[in-house]
Amino acid sequence: MASYAPLFVNENDRRWNPDAIVFTSSEMYGTPSYWMQHFFKESNGATLLSSSVQTNPSNSLTASAITWRNSADNNDYLRIKVVNFGTTPVTLKISISGLGQNSLETC
């Protein structure tokens, strides 16, 4: 089990920054903390795979890869998580070895 508090914050009255869900009168969105909690929930029982990131000194990236079997549809999934700790956008090229042709769907 996991919990996260405080959970909601109004965009127009932000007193505390580690909230997970931000809302206004017309929209809502999850913060990076929200999505991290979501990924942990979704990939419970996952296997951590060996992964590496090749970057130049100006990039602050870290990555991980996991596989897990979804009990709802009994399919195996691969999720790659990349976090950019830097202040500039980074274009990525992701290479995956060991999969058969047509065995990969992106979402």
Side-chain angles (χ1 to χ4, degrees):
M1 287 177 81
S3 63
Y4 193 93
L7 187 58
F8 296 103
V9 65
N10 185 319
E11 173 96 4
N12 301 314
D13 187 21
R14 263 196 133 136
R15 297 181 202 172
W16 186 252
N17 270 335
D19 300 287
I21 300 170
V22 181
F23 66 92
T24 66
S25 59
S26 61
E27 67 178 342
M28 68 175 195
Y29 58 91
T31 64
S33 297
Y34 168 83
W35 288 109
M36 202 66 231
Q37 290 288 328
H38 177 78
F39 291 145
F40 277 118
K41 173 196 70 93
E42 196 173 73
S43 57
N44 186 18
T47 301
L48 180 65
L49 303 175
S50 175
S51 60
S52 63
V53 177
Q54 297 173 352
T55 65
N56 62 44
S58 65
N59 293 339
S60 299
L61 298 176
T62 187
S64 66
I66 59 171
T67 60
W68 80 96
R69 180 171 298 260
N70 185 334
S71 60
D73 61 13
N74 211 30
N75 287 330
D76 292 324
Y77 289 89
L78 167 69
R79 169 159 288 138
I80 299 170
K81 300 176 187 179
V82 180
V83 176
N84 180 1
F85 290 103
T87 57
T88 57
V90 176
T91 301
L92 297 175
K93 178 182 177 185
I94 298 174
S95 300
I96 302 170
S97 61
L99 296 177
Q101 279 189 326
N102 301 322
S103 65
L104 190 63
E105 277 184 40
T106 60
C107 57

